[in-house]
Amino acid sequence: MSDAVTTVGTLYMLNTCPFTWKVRALLDHLNLPHERVQVNPMKIKKSVSFAGDWGKTPVWKMHDGEVVVDSTPIMKRIDEVYNDGKLSNSADLARRDEWIEWADLHMKNATIPILYGNIRSALNTTRSVSRHEKFGLLTGRLYAWAGFPIMWGIIARKRTKNTGMNPKQLWHHLLDQWTVEIGENSFFGGDKPDLVDLIVYGYMQSVEMHPKAFSQVEEHEAGMAWFQRMKVAAA
Ligand SMILES: N[C@@H](CCC(=O)N[C@@H](CS)C(=O)NCC(=O)O)C(=O)O
């Protein structure tokens, strides 16, 4: 980013973190010039220690020094300060909050299983993550090859345990719910995307960067039609 452009703040992030993708979706949609600091996944706590004991990504530091943590509150704050809260505004606040909660619970819980839900996709994903993140050379390799049985065996299985669905079925089920809610409209927000659209879009983009995993999501026609509309609207 050029020095001549005044930035609105700095995003401390991981390239593959779904919560980081949510905030990126908003910043890109509003076309706000900002800095991005890619932290080492093994040193998150230290890298964001200025945000107290939060210890996670993303963290947002506003140009005036204000620090905001947690992806949805970060999105709301950026929208409030730089966009008069227009994306968060809704004629039906209860509906908005219900679907933010839906996305931050169900989309979040579906993300790990689609990436790591079987041993092959787990290996693909840890290798892909090690390429996309700024690990040290050795830890990156170690993560790629030693991380996948852990992600697959422990983490992904735990997340799908209660749904009775495999990771692909779970995504298709969620995209059914999402596209039914959107109905005849182009977006959740009506004819334009709103904050909820951008939250769901962010979760989906975090899967899209791992093409093998995303190919399972891509089979959902209505979901992908919305996703493509988001790409156009966000460009
Ligand atoms: N609710 C938080 C979750 C953030 C989060 O869990 N980030 C992960 C990376 S994707 C992290 O930093 N984990 C480190 C940890 O929990 O110690 C948000 O939406 O921002």
Side-chain angles (χ1 to χ4, degrees), residues 14 16-20 22-23 39 41 44-45 48 54-59 69-74 104 108 112 133 159 203:
L14 287 175
T16 57
C17 170
F19 313 107
T20 296
K22 289 166 54 185
V23 179
V39 307
I44 302 176
K45 280 198 168 40
V48 297
W54 175 249
K56 300 177 190 177
T57 61
V59 171
V69 299
D70 208 354
S71 52
T72 297
I74 294 173
D104 280 340
K108 181 192 100 179
I112 291 283
E133 297 295 358
R159 296 272 168 98
Y203 281 116

Side-chain angles (χ1 to χ4, degrees), residues 122-175:
L123 177 59
N124 273 324
T125 305
T126 53
R127 290 177 69 188
S128 164
V129 167
S130 78
R131 281 195 301 272
H132 283 292
E133 297 295 358
K134 280 193 172 165
F135 283 102
L137 186 63
L138 209 65
T139 37
R141 294 216 178 138
L142 200 67
Y143 179 79
W145 295 100
F148 82 91
I150 302 171
M151 295 306 288
W152 166 69
I154 302 168
I155 299 174
R157 282 184 168 201
K158 204 166 120 198
R159 296 272 168 98
T160 32
K161 202 175 69 189
N162 299 323
T163 65
M165 285 178 257
N166 69 35
K168 180 179 167 182
Q169 287 167 337
L170 180 57
W171 265 93
H172 283 240
H173 168 70
L174 294 177
L175 287 175

